[in-house]
Amino acid sequence: MIAVVGLVLGIVAGLLLQPSVPATLQPYLPIAVVAALDAVFGGLRAYFDGIFDDKVFVVSFVSNVFIAAVIVYLGDQLGVGGQLSTGVIVVLGIRIFSNVAAIRRHLFHA
Amino acid sequence: MSSLSSGRGPDAPHPPSDQEGRYVSLLTQVMSQPLDRDYQVVAQRRARGAAGSVVEGASIPADDEVKQRSLSITTIAALAVFGVMVGVSALQTERDAPVVRAERSELIEQIRERQSAFAALQGDLNDLTDDVTELQAEVAGDVQGLGTVTRRLDDLGVAAGTVSAVGPGITITVDDAAPASPGSGGVILASDLRLLVNGLWEAGAEAIAIDGHRLTSLTAIRFAGEAITVDYRSLTTPYVVTVIGDVDTLAARFNETDAGQAWIALEVNFGIGFAVTSSDELEVPGDPQERLRHARPREAE
């Protein structure tokens, strides 16, 4: 519950404060959001599995965001940024779908 | 992270291998293990720790609880960061949307503009094609008209004597009488030649030249001292008169005229030579028109 409050607080803060993102980082924000989404759903599933761990969650969150951004940055430097973004999103998307399926099984027992 | 890495150890084999160490494809691995294995590893370790703590005493769960709460703050912080990221990302997309929309509408507008320009040009092209067709028809008409005018100019030129002419006709060769012949009048006078020419015109001649000098309405046949001049050029006997006209009737009709009768009289009485030959193809030159002209057609007003 308190986690949801934190999430909502963050969204509201982001919308209200409108922190300016440096122009160089702007292309990596969407992919970072997708990576963070993967970490969040992973944590949620772990919570339902009863094996949630704060440290693992925070580390996976930070490393996910960082690695996704770095991969896309590398791809941009190599001229395959678009393709690498697609690859990252496909892998993360599969993971998100699988985790959400597990969460659904926990919630609805179906 | 370092503690986690060390924690993996032997019970967390690196992908892509399943628990029994068999190789599995990357996609299968991604699909079958969407959850970070770290959660399971940590859970297992904690389970082991909990089992140990039951034996040791109650102090460890309390410590664990403190750790849990302190980490809970980091979790909430991470979630808040995630929320900020989502919010900023959404805001950014929202902020970019008008720009994208403006670009899109501008492109659409440009396409419309170019299309209308293209249509206008197409219309111009059609108009110009029509103009070209019209002008071509006009030119064709002009060419026909030009042909008519040219033909008429040729006809008029032949009649006026300004252009050379060819055609069937007769050649009349007249000469002074031989010196031994009787009488003193055996010399052709300019008036005789004028009479001859006028008779020929009357007989239906279309073009006449004397010794290669084309006769026009302005050509004078006169005496200058002893010699006859035509067009102000002295001639010597015999005088050759080239006449273009109807071969069949020209000579006969000339004989019927007063001039023809007079010339028969000259021939008989004074022994002046008069010989007529007809041919199918004669040529008379055009008048060189060496005079200045002052008269010009009166223009219609």
Side-chain angles (χ1 to χ4, degrees), chain A residues 21 36 42 45 53-54 59 95, chain B residues 1 34-35 46 71 75 82 88:
Chain A
V21 183
R45 185 196 169 172
D53 186 271
D54 291 300
V59 169
R95 280 169 57 119
Chain B
M1 192 71 189
L35 190 63
R46 199 187 297 143
L71 277 171
T75 301
F82 173 63
V88 169

Side-chain angles (χ1 to χ4, degrees), chain B residues 165-177:
Chain B
V166 292
I170 58 175
T171 307
I172 301 170
T173 309
V174 294
D175 201 353
D176 290 346

Side-chain angles (χ1 to χ4, degrees), chain A residues 43-96:
Chain A
L44 197 58
R45 185 196 169 172
Y47 174 77
F48 283 118
D49 283 353
I51 54 171
F52 181 75
D53 186 271
D54 291 300
K55 198 173 176 184
V56 173
F57 170 71
V58 172
V59 169
S60 75
F61 179 89
V62 173
S63 68
N64 254 11
V65 168
F66 182 70
I67 289 171
V70 165
I71 285 176
V72 176
Y73 170 78
L74 264 181
D76 275 344
Q77 299 307 305
L78 296 173
V80 289
Q83 291 90 322
L84 265 184
S85 302
T86 309
V88 168
I89 286 183
V90 165
V91 171
L92 293 178
I94 291 171
R95 280 169 57 119
I96 290 171

Side-chain angles (χ1 to χ4, degrees), chain B residues 30-44:
Chain B
V30 167
M31 305 242 296
S32 60
Q33 299 183 338
L35 190 63
D36 283 335
R37 286 182 66 84
D38 299 328
Y39 284 116
Q40 287 154 7
V41 170
V42 172
Q44 284 167 14

Side-chain angles (χ1 to χ4, degrees), chain A residues 7 11 15 29 33 37, chain B residues 81-91:
Chain A
L7 177 64
I11 293 177
L15 288 176
L29 187 57
V33 167
L37 200 62
Chain B
V81 168
F82 173 63
V84 169
M85 279 164 67
V86 169
V88 169
S89 196
L91 258 183

Side-chain angles (χ1 to χ4, degrees), chain B residues 114-128:
Chain B
R114 299 282 157 85
Q115 273 175 342
S116 62
F118 176 70
L121 285 173
Q122 195 89 44
D124 284 0
L125 181 65
N126 285 345
D127 288 353
L128 288 172

